[in-house]
Amino acid sequence: MNMMKNKLNDLELKKIEEEKKNYEDNKSISIEALKIVQSSRGWVSDELITEISKILNISESQLEEIATFYSQIYRKPVGYNIIKYCDSVVCYMMGSDNIKCKLENILKIKIGQTTNDNKFTLLPISCLGNCDKAPVIMINNKTYSNIKISYIPILLEKY
Amino acid sequence: MNHIIKYPETHPLTWRLDTINKNPIWINEYHKKNGYSALKFMLNNMTPKDVINLVKDSELRGRGGAGFYTGIKWSLMPKKNNIPRYLLCNADEMEPGTYKDRLLLEQLPHQLLEGMIISGFAIEATMAYIFLRGEYISAENNLKKAIIEAENCGYLGRNILGSDFTFKIVLHTGAGRYICGEETALINSLEGKRANPRIKPPFPAIVGLWGKPTCVNNVETLSNIPAIVLNGSNWYKKISLSKDRGTKLMGFSGRVNNPGVWEVPFGISARELLEDYAKGMKKGFRLKAWQPGGAGTDFLTEKNLDVKMDFDSISKVGSRFGTGIAMAVDHTVNIVSLVLNLEKFFSRESCGLCTPCREGLPWIVKILQSFEDGFAQNEDINILEDLCVQLGPGKTVCAHAPGAMEPLQSAIKLFRSEFEQCIRKNSFSNIEMINKKNMFKLNL
């Protein structure tokens, strides 16, 4: 079972191969390959870094350099759902600190942590480009705008 | 303002928008609204040189923030040889306070694609990448669908509409980091490297993606191209109220009654934007300061509200037009805390390449935090002012650090007393309070 977890599956391999035809150089697929692997597993383990680097024929350190630079690639386990609250300037003025506190209180975790039941990870994110509807949070792939503190418990129940 | 009737001649960027349901304009609707007719006209009547000259004549300036003339940028591409060349669309919108490209990407994907195909023809590229921010999920889905629609209609691929022009667009999504929006950092990121900016020269037009000639244009810039091809450069020059040509997506956010983004001619006043479009400040809130075009632009005050919204006029009053999406700061906001928030952002997003930026920004955050906590020293204001110079233009490879200094230097200039008040609070009792707070934290 553990062996499977540390290998790329057929679908992932197919998707990565698919990407190769769009670029002059395999290195360009690094980010996309990491995202493909992360999309089903939540995060990218050391073993998977090795696996991906083999497929792309680049060194592990080159891939690690990418994986640790970009903020949306996770090199540590994360919860099943990822809550990103926008902490940039407009959301800040419109009360993102209160939203952060409310989330921390409900989930009983601090920024960067995962709940005990592994359901949620809380992370900050830079401006989500929805400033006319601030404050904004993003849960997984969905963006929620004009957030009020009172909405938060109801919103979290959906997940 | 919803009651404004939009005509193709007055609102070239947004007249096709579905203002009621806010649905994306897919290919059938786009065809009905004159879509891809600029591409057809160009393929039948123009050479690449003609397109470049037309865009040069139109005096279109880049909409990403720097305002470089698009036609001139295109003409810097070397003469056609057998080496491949690339068009890159910069859709990595992440400037805090900016939300204009999102609208164009999500709701008018075909307008962008048409603009890209025409631009690709002009610079004689056969391949283009849209570098899209990873967090823009709906934009990603809509662009994917639009690219397939365009391919099925023969607007993309081999021998477009029977001509000998071949062009392919690939959608590339990122994985975070603000710096990817800097054009050379974007190229590095696309090559699968850390998004560190490159030293210029050589400019991307000569040595760009994979060392090949490359042109990087912003989403809004490219979306302007089809209308210029259809209506000509004279029309384009006439629709603006100032020296900067054409229309621009401008907006206002913050505690205003109607925050949003609108297509307006260059040269309307900031007051008009704030009062007529954004419907003024919310009841009980006064305007304290505003940033004209994103987090990396100097603060202005109410005194500057009658300034024309264009590149030259805004720089004359001491700021930068930037992305043109303004942000209102109301009287309840403490300027020190606000600048601390901005500098935390810039500090977090520094790529770490240049020492002044990598070391200076966290230092600034630390100092500003001490202001907010009430134990800043008198000389700290001077240190901040000194850092504004040390991190200013010319000290780093890219404009990240200088951009970060603009809100800081202007905040100290305009609201020095608020910084000084933080120092005056610095008394024995205050230090005692902080110590207690820290002890409390430890006990927890």
Side-chain angles (χ1 to χ4, degrees):
Chain A
M1 195 62 195
N2 266 337
M3 283 300 286
M4 288 293 287
K5 238 170 97 180
N6 295 334
K7 294 273 176 223
L8 297 174
N9 62 38
D10 289 347
L11 184 66
E12 287 166 334
L13 288 169
K14 199 183 137 209
K15 278 185 182 168
I16 293 171
E17 282 307 315
E18 226 10 48
E19 287 295 321
K20 284 187 182 172
K21 63 170 196 271
N22 287 332
Y23 300 90
E24 237 178 60
D25 181 2
N26 275 351
K27 208 164 185 270
S28 288
I29 310 158
S30 312
I31 296 173
E32 194 55 36
L34 289 163
K35 282 169 75 173
I36 288 168
V37 170
Q38 186 171 275
S39 68
S40 57
R41 300 161 191 259
W43 67 293
V44 187
S45 65
D46 291 349
E47 291 82 1
L48 287 168
I49 290 278
T50 312
E51 289 296 303
I52 299 169
S53 67
K54 276 187 208 154
I55 298 293
L56 299 181
N57 201 21
I58 59 176
S59 75
E60 279 177 54
S61 63
Q62 273 182 318
L63 190 65
E64 184 70 286
E65 184 183 54
I66 299 300
T68 50
F69 183 83
Y70 293 95
S71 51
Q72 303 308 310
I73 303 294
Y74 309 127
R75 286 287 280 112
K76 280 184 187 170
V78 288
Y80 192 69
N81 302 296
I82 297 186
I83 306 176
K84 298 167 193 164
Y85 79 98
C86 172
D87 64 354
S88 288
V89 64
V90 181
C91 284
Y92 168 77
M93 281 198 298
M94 304 302 277
S96 65
D97 269 358
N98 296 337
I99 286 167
K100 181 193 92 170
C101 289
K102 184 77 182 171
L103 284 166
E104 285 182 333
N105 284 338
I106 297 178
L107 302 170
K108 298 190 177 60
I109 50 171
K110 294 275 171 209
I111 297 295
Q113 296 177 334
T114 301
T115 51
N116 279 336
D117 59 1
N118 226 13
K119 207 170 164 191
F120 293 106
T121 297
L122 182 58
L123 294 170
I125 191 150
S126 302
C127 188
L128 287 168
N130 246 358
C131 319
D132 50 345
K133 305 175 197 75
V136 186
I137 66 172
M138 195 168 172
I139 305 182
N140 304 331
N141 279 346
K142 212 164 156 34
T143 308
Y144 297 94
S145 309
N146 290 319
I147 294 288
K148 288 198 169 69
I149 300 280
S150 54
Y151 295 173
I152 293 173
I154 308 159
L155 196 59
L156 293 185
E157 269 171 32
K158 288 195 201 171
Y159 290 88
Chain B
M1 285 200 289
N2 288 335
H3 60 270
I4 284 190
I5 303 169
K6 294 178 176 174
Y7 298 101
E9 293 80 17
T10 56
H11 295 77
L13 283 173
T14 57
W15 69 278
R16 295 185 179 98
L17 278 180
D18 171 3
T19 44
I20 300 157
N21 300 314
K22 312 224 181 291
N23 286 327
I25 304 301
W26 299 119
I27 194 124
N28 288 338
E29 184 75 12
Y30 192 64
H31 275 149
K32 267 187 227 157
K33 292 182 170 166
N34 220 4
Y36 289 106
S37 50
L39 174 65
K40 287 171 193 159
F41 174 82
M42 179 201 72
L43 287 173
N44 289 327
N45 301 292
M46 296 172 90
T47 63
K49 188 96 192 122
D50 292 338
V51 185
I52 292 181
N53 285 337
L54 175 72
V55 173
K56 252 191 196 167
D57 277 347
S58 76
E59 295 170 21
L60 169 68
R61 295 178 78 162
R63 305 295 200 239
F68 193 76
Y69 287 94
T70 307
I72 295 179
K73 199 177 206 178
W74 287 1
S75 63
L76 294 175
M77 294 288 280
K79 280 214 173 70
K80 178 97 172 132
N81 45 21
N82 285 328
I83 298 169
R85 45 179 65 206
Y86 299 99
L87 173 70
L88 304 184
C89 168
N90 187 345
D92 190 64
E93 183 175 65
M94 212 188 286
E95 178 84 13
T98 300
Y99 43 93
K100 63 180 183 71
D101 294 341
R102 185 175 189 138
L103 174 83
L104 297 172
L105 290 161
E106 286 182 355
Q107 295 184 39
L108 292 162
H110 280 292
Q111 180 170 276
L112 172 64
L113 296 184
E114 187 179 6
M116 285 183 70
I117 302 166
I118 296 170
S119 309
F121 177 84
I123 62 166
E124 298 177 83
T126 51
M127 181 89 183
Y129 293 92
I130 302 175
F131 190 108
L132 178 70
R133 199 183 159 186
E135 292 87 346
Y136 276 13
I137 306 289
S138 334
E140 181 183 348
N141 295 335
N142 295 357
L143 281 170
K144 267 186 194 157
K145 180 172 167 182
I147 289 173
I148 293 170
E149 283 184 335
E151 281 170 351
N152 290 342
C153 289
Y155 300 134
L156 281 171
R158 285 190 177 281
N159 301 99
I160 292 170
L161 301 176
S163 69
D164 53 7
F165 176 49
T166 293
F167 194 63
K168 186 180 173 185
I169 296 180
V170 172
L171 182 62
H172 177 100
T173 59
R177 296 309 285 255
Y178 169 70
I179 199 65
C180 295
E182 201 278 344
E183 68 172 0
T184 55
L186 184 144
I187 293 171
N188 272 339
S189 184
L190 197 52
E191 287 184 3
K193 299 173 182 160
R194 290 169 64 108
N196 292 334
R198 297 175 179 177
I199 294 167
K200 293 188 267 192
F203 288 92
I206 312 297
V207 182
L209 184 62
W210 299 306
K212 314 281 166 39
T214 301
C215 182
V216 188
N217 289 128
N218 167 265
V219 172
E220 192 186 343
T221 314
L222 293 164
S223 298
N224 267 291
I225 303 294
I228 295 175
V229 169
L230 270 187
N231 303 326
S233 56
N234 280 335
W235 156 81
Y236 197 70
K237 285 186 204 168
K238 277 185 199 143
I239 52 173
S240 101
L241 306 169
S242 91
K243 248 172 56 195
D244 293 326
R245 309 306 188 182
T247 59
K248 173 81 187 75
L249 292 182
M250 295 188 200
F252 242 107
S253 62
R255 286 208 169 78
V256 294
N257 286 311
N258 181 36
V261 53
W262 312 279
E263 182 178 11
V264 293
F266 266 108
I268 78 160
S269 73
R271 188 180 297 282
E272 215 177 324
L273 206 58
L274 176 64
E275 287 171 6
D276 296 347
Y277 287 83
K279 306 284 180 209
M281 297 300 290
K282 275 194 175 158
K283 210 174 165 213
F285 293 95
R286 291 189 313 276
L287 182 72
K288 174 175 177 172
W290 58 288
Q291 280 186 307
T297 56
D298 294 81
F299 286 107
L300 295 171
T301 63
E302 203 180 1
K303 279 186 214 151
N304 307 113
L305 270 184
D306 290 308
V307 68
K308 279 182 169 186
M309 290 293 282
D310 64 46
F311 288 97
D312 288 351
S313 308
I314 295 278
S315 61
K316 270 187 198 137
V317 294
S319 187
R320 215 157 47 82
F321 181 74
T323 61
I325 306 288
M327 177 187 88
V329 181
D330 62 80
H331 75 284
T332 64
V333 179
N334 178 291
I335 207 79
V336 178
S337 312
L338 189 73
V339 175
L340 173 60
N341 173 277
L342 286 167
E343 298 308 329
K344 273 184 183 165
F345 164 81
F346 284 112
S347 173
R348 182 170 80 198
E349 296 296 338
S350 167
C351 79
L353 180 67
C354 311
T355 312
C357 183
R358 181 185 63 242
E359 304 296 326
L361 288 171
W363 189 13
I364 287 168
V365 168
K366 220 171 148 183
I367 296 173
L368 288 170
Q369 187 70 54
S370 76
F371 273 93
E372 203 181 50
D373 292 342
F375 55 83
Q377 309 286 320
N378 259 325
E379 62 266 29
D380 284 340
I381 295 188
N382 302 338
I383 297 177
L384 285 178
E385 281 179 322
D386 184 43
L387 283 167
C388 286
V389 179
Q390 300 301 333
L391 272 74
K395 304 283 204 285
T396 49
V397 170
C398 82
H400 183 82
M405 291 309 98
E406 291 183 22
L408 177 62
Q409 72 192 15
S410 54
I412 298 175
K413 199 174 80 196
L414 295 168
F415 303 101
R416 199 180 179 97
S417 60
E418 281 188 45
F419 284 83
E420 284 165 352
Q421 270 161 25
C422 296
I423 296 170
R424 272 191 223 113
K425 273 196 285 177
N426 182 13
S427 61
F428 180 69
S429 65
N430 209 25
I431 289 172
E432 206 172 37
M433 193 200 78
I434 287 156
N435 282 342
K436 269 186 191 158
K437 214 167 84 184
N438 287 342
M439 274 167 70
F440 183 64
K441 268 186 201 158
L442 287 174
N443 288 340
L444 270 177

